[in-house]
Amino acid sequence: MLYHIVTFGCQMNVHESEKIAFILENKGYSVTDKREDADVIVFNTCAIREGAEDRFFGNVGALKRLKKANPNLIIAVCGCATQKADTAEYIKKTFPFVDIVIGTFNLAKLGDYIDQAKNKRVFEQWQEGDLDETQSYLRTSGDNAWVNIMQGCNNFCTYCIVPYVRGREKSRKPENILNEIRQIVKEGKYKKITLLGQNVNSYGKDLCPQMTFTELLQEISKIDGDFQITFMTSHPKDITDELIKEIAFNPKMIKSLHLPAQSGNNRILKLMNRNYTREKYLQIIEKVKALVPNIVLTSDFIVGFPTETEEEFLDTMDLVKQVKFSSIFAFMYSPREGTVAAKMEGQVPDEVKHDRVNRLLKLEKQIQKEEK
Ligand code: SAH
Ligand code: SF4
Ligand code: F3S
């Protein structure tokens, strides 16, 4: 009995696919990299941009022929896209050969759903769920071990679907995180621990007693062993001096920081509900560069946010020039149903978005060449 997993989206999904693999191996399945040979195929989906959803629809459609060839094949779709009721409904109607459609909060029950799917199609999207503390993963990322420290997001950036599909912020208890990392370090295979959360700076605010993200990093560093620590992603609005110092002076911390700026223009940042200004962002970068001169800085940008003018886009170009990031991700704004920005007037035409994203990426390449 063989399984095949297709993962879309961010590191969070990559890590959750390691959970899916654990669940399936526990049920006696072994992995195959050929979909044609699989008895169970799982699509772990992403909803962040329209393109991410379209890609997976195309992929799922192509499974029809495999199901015809092997009627016992079980096809499951989970993740952020199928947490949304409209997408779940669309898959149910459009792809009758899909057996299981579940959301982000039901993932731990995938094993049961596979049993049920032998008799009937399964559709379930819970609206919230407890943190999964089973710590059962089949780690597949080489010498990097992902460790989830929190789930959800409270920020509601106006363009973003994540708060709607991942729920509110919930921090894992520090003792559970520390135990998991002790175990990982004991295994001796992992040199890098990457802590995961949509906004790791918010870690611990919901715990009793509260704990800061920096305090968590300090506790993790006390674990004996030869490993390095990094994290994704932090939000500029609440990055602290303590955190910057921790990256600078803690020898276990990898000297890199992914700090999504999204835009270099204050009006757009406000419309995005990012809660910082261009000046505040640059101030943080200055502090980081001063304390950690060899830091690897990376960022995310969105171009063509509703009403973004050419001049405002040039502010983004200018910010990228000023900071000289090691690398950036540049995305064309993609309206996500249910978010505030999707309803805004002044949506920017696609060709303008294409032009801006190309110019931004060209600038990035130029900077990389100069900095070499
Ligand atoms: N929680 C992380 C980001 C998660 S999404 C953070 O806040 O940093 C990863 C990136 O996708 C975001 O930084 C943003 O640049 C981009 N993104 C999110 N929603 C988008 C949308 N609707 N259109 C285009 N890009 C988007
Ligand atoms: Fe989305 Fe903003 Fe939360 Fe990041 S911080 S996941 S961009 S709402
Ligand atoms: Fe990640 Fe995509 Fe979900 S970016 S949190 S998998 S919407």
Side-chain angles (χ1 to χ4, degrees), residues 10 47-50 153 155 157 159-162 197-199 232-236 258-262 274 299-303 329-336 339:
C10 63
I48 202 81
R49 283 168 292 274
E50 204 181 337
C153 184
N155 288 327
C157 302
Y159 51 81
C160 186
I161 194 76
V162 171
Q198 293 301 342
N199 175 16
M232 312 205 76
T233 300
S234 44
H235 192 303
H258 181 66
L259 196 62
Q262 313 298 0
R274 289 291 287 179
S299 194
D300 293 347
F301 290 90
I302 296 176
V303 303
F329 291 97
F331 304 108
M332 289 184 279
Y333 167 70
S334 169
R336 308 281 65 211
T339 61

Side-chain angles (χ1 to χ4, degrees), residues 34-84:
K34 287 204 206 84
R35 309 187 177 177
E36 303 76 53
D37 298 342
D39 301 286
V40 174
I41 298 178
V42 183
F43 276 79
N44 192 8
T45 64
C46 171
I48 202 81
R49 283 168 292 274
E50 204 181 337
E53 277 198 313
D54 287 350
R55 259 204 318 280
F56 114 77
F57 289 150
N59 266 275
V60 170
L63 295 181
K64 188 174 179 180
R65 117 195 121 74
L66 295 184
K67 184 81 171 190
K68 235 181 182 165
N70 173 11
N72 291 327
L73 169 66
I74 291 178
I75 300 173
V77 185
C78 62
C80 292
T82 43
Q83 177 64 32
K84 294 188 306 164

Side-chain angles (χ1 to χ4, degrees), residues 5 29 33 61 83 88 101 115 117 132 147 150 161 189 221 315 329 354:
I5 304 172
Y29 293 91
D33 54 9
Q83 177 64 32
V101 183
D115 293 336
D132 183 7
V147 174
M150 59 196 298
I161 194 76
K189 284 190 284 190
S221 308
D315 285 342
F329 291 97
H354 274 286

